[in-house]
Amino acid sequence: MIQLCDSVVSKPLAMIFNKCLLTGVFPSDWKKSNVVPIHKKGDKQDIKNYRPISLLPICGKIFERIIYNSIYSFMENNNLFCTNQSGFRSSDSCINQLISITHLCYQAFDCNPSLEARAVFLDISKAFDKVWHDGLVFKLECIGIEGQLLKLLDSFLKNRY
C-alpha cells in the first residue's frame, strides 16, 4: 500500500522520520505491538509449544530499517565488527563458525605434542529476551554513536508494549 501511494505517503513519512531524528524521540504509537502466538512444534494444545511474535506498525518498521542500515554501514565502514562475528552479517553464516572451530581443533591436534582443545557451548535461544538496554545504549555511545541518534535509540528501547 505504501509503495502504491508513493509520494502521497513518502513525503509525510520523511517529515516524520526527520522530526524523530531532530528530536531524538521514537513515536510511542510505533512501539505498540500486537502479540500473536505462533506454533513451533509438538502438541498444539500445549502453550509451551508456541512462541510470541510481535507485529509492529509498518511505518515504525520502515524507520527501524533506515536506522539499522545507517548504523550497520557505520560499523562496517569503521571495522567495528569482531572478525568472528557471523550473526546478522551479510554473506556470512554459522557454517563459517563451524569451519573456524573445526580448524582450530585440527591445529591443536596437529601440533607435536598435541595441544589441549576445549569448547563450551551455550544455549542462548532466549538471549534477545534479556538484552540489557542501558548497557546496549552505553556500547553504542562507546563506538561513536552520539547526540540525537543515541537519544532516539534510547527512546526506541523504552516503554515498548
Side-chain angles (χ1 to χ4, degrees):
M1 288 282 295
I2 290 175
Q3 287 178 335
L4 291 175
C5 294
D6 198 21
S7 65
V8 174
V9 174
S10 64
K11 286 181 182 177
L13 264 182
M15 290 171 60
I16 294 169
F17 294 166
N18 286 325
K19 181 77 168 182
C20 292
L21 288 166
L22 285 171
T23 61
V25 176
F26 194 87
S28 59
D29 283 344
W30 291 355
K31 297 190 247 183
K32 294 178 185 175
S33 67
N34 181 21
V35 180
V36 178
I38 301 295
H39 182 254
K40 293 186 297 186
K41 61 184 177 197
D43 183 9
K44 288 190 175 187
Q45 300 302 316
D46 187 355
I47 197 166
K48 293 177 186 172
N49 292 330
Y50 288 83
R51 65 184 174 100
I53 298 292
S54 297
L55 303 175
L56 293 157
I58 191 67
C59 295
K61 297 295 289 177
I62 293 168
F63 191 44
E64 285 177 37
R65 179 53 63 172
I66 292 167
I67 299 299
Y68 166 82
N69 289 341
S70 176
I71 292 172
Y72 189 92
S73 293
F74 171 79
M75 292 184 68
E76 191 76 45
N77 294 337
N78 291 287
N79 296 315
L80 295 172
F81 287 114
C82 174
T83 55
N84 295 327
Q85 169 76 33
S86 282
F88 307 104
R89 302 281 310 273
S90 58
S91 62
D92 206 339
S93 70
C94 60
I95 300 297
N96 292 340
Q97 290 297 313
L98 290 171
I99 291 169
S100 176
I101 290 170
T102 304
H103 178 71
L104 290 172
C105 289
Y106 283 138
Q107 277 184 319
F109 296 148
D110 286 345
C111 287
N112 193 3
S114 292
L115 298 175
E116 191 172 317
R118 296 181 188 191
V120 176
F121 298 94
L122 304 171
D123 178 5
I124 56 169
S125 59
K126 301 227 182 231
F128 291 108
D129 297 342
K130 302 185 185 333
V131 172
W132 179 35
H133 292 171
D134 291 336
L136 176 58
V137 171
F138 175 75
K139 286 188 174 201
L140 290 169
E141 188 175 21
C142 288
I143 65 167
I145 295 173
E146 55 189 19
Q148 294 306 95
L149 179 56
L150 186 66
K151 189 176 170 187
L152 176 70
L153 294 169
D154 188 47
S155 171
F156 170 79
L157 294 169
K158 289 193 175 9
N159 302 319
R160 300 188 71 80
Y161 39 111

